Amino acid sequence: MSTEVRQMFSSIATRYDVTNEVLSFGVHRLWRRTAVKLSQAKEGSQVLDCATGTGDLALAFKRKVGPTGRVVGTDFCPEMLESAPAKAAKAGLEVEFQVQDAMALTLPDNSFDVASISFGIRNVDDPVKCLQEMARVVRPGGRVVVLEFGQPTGPYGALFRFYSKTIMPAVGGLLTGNRAAYAYLPRTAAAFPAGERFLSLMDQAGVYSERAAHPLLFGTAYVYVGTVR
């Protein structure tokens, strides 16, 4: 799956930001702020953001940790990272960007206070291995933060599923020229474990002393927080 996913993100990289803004109505900005808050990152913290894409969450963390903190943003798709350094420079923020696979990070053990991944863990071949690898590079007592889509229920859930299956592929295809990518993304989100089921994956990883799920917008997304043993 990794090769196919890399090629898909490569094809939409140049239009990813504007498409994300349109399709989420800007709500993704609030979700990122919530993830940063729940991470308990503070001035001077060391943060790793996996599957950083064009760097939005990494930049949000850098604003939080300040000039004395360090933020490293990684992604396995070089094309997605291409615009990230310029975006950081324009914002006056110093962030390191590296091409890395979240399941096989070439970073030292216990070197970060926080590791995060937003809307990326459902695209890795082995989510449990990814959760273990992110925990490996975080010091004991530090946090792993996962922001990912959920499956809302009830009337709102029905509306969300209609939007995801019908509107997202049409608008995403129009803006990027790759309708298949914006059919794939909601399809994988609908199939991926959410809520308690994702917490069970964190339990399977065997590296967290505590874990919690925080629903956003009626369960449209979740922020999962694990404390590393």
Side-chain angles (χ1 to χ4, degrees), residues 139-156:
R139 62 172 177 77
R143 287 173 172 77
V144 168
V145 178
V146 179
L147 173 58
E148 189 53 85
F149 283 114
Q151 295 101 38
T153 58
Y156 174 78

Side-chain angles (χ1 to χ4, degrees), residues 45 103 113 124 161 164 168 185 226:
S45 291
M103 293 192 301
D113 301 300
V124 305
R161 286 189 293 276
S164 298
M168 282 185 66
L185 292 171

Side-chain angles (χ1 to χ4, degrees), residues 28-229:
H28 63 101
R29 298 174 184 270
L30 175 61
W31 291 350
R32 284 198 300 272
R33 287 198 293 270
T34 301
V36 171
K37 180 179 179 180
L38 290 171
S39 76
Q40 297 186 20
K42 57 184 182 298
E43 184 83 22
S45 291
Q46 311 286 302
V47 179
L48 170 68
D49 182 41
C50 299
T52 196
T54 59
D56 284 335
L57 184 55
L59 268 59
F61 269 113
K62 183 59 179 176
R63 292 185 181 97
K64 181 66 175 180
V65 304
T68 61
R70 177 193 182 207
V71 177
V72 178
T74 68
D75 203 285
F76 78 152
C77 180
E79 291 82 3
M80 285 293 288
L81 282 176
E82 281 182 2
S83 65
K87 185 186 291 188
K90 183 177 180 180
L93 300 170
E94 185 177 344
V95 177
E96 304 168 40
F97 292 103
Q98 303 176 13
V99 177
Q100 294 260 7
D101 184 342
M103 293 192 301
L105 298 166
T106 61
L107 295 163
D109 295 358
N110 308 325
S111 51
F112 294 93
D113 301 300
V114 174
S116 63
I117 185 168
S118 62
F119 306 113
I121 198 163
R122 74 182 189 277
N123 296 318
V124 305
D125 289 333
D126 187 340
V128 172
K129 183 177 179 181
C130 182
L131 287 167
Q132 292 170 334
E133 184 67 352
M134 292 172 69
R136 178 186 66 79
V137 301
V138 171
R139 62 172 177 77
R143 287 173 172 77
V144 168
V145 178
V146 179
L147 173 58
E148 189 53 85
F149 283 114
Q151 295 101 38
T153 58
Y156 174 78
L159 178 63
F160 178 73
R161 286 189 293 276
F162 171 78
Y163 176 77
S164 298
K165 293 178 180 179
T166 307
I167 306 300
M168 282 185 66
V171 175
L174 181 67
L175 293 175
T176 67
N178 189 342
R179 183 187 177 98
Y182 285 90
Y184 165 87
L185 292 171
R187 185 172 67 249
T188 55
F192 193 71
E196 290 295 326
R197 291 184 298 147
F198 186 83
L199 292 182
S200 73
L201 296 182
M202 299 186 80
D203 290 339
Q204 289 176 43
V207 291
Y208 300 103
S209 60
E210 300 176 9
R211 79 288 185 281
H214 304 268
L216 305 172
L217 193 60
F218 308 111
T220 303
Y222 282 84
V223 176
Y224 305 98
V225 181
T227 302
V228 177
R229 288 178 178 166

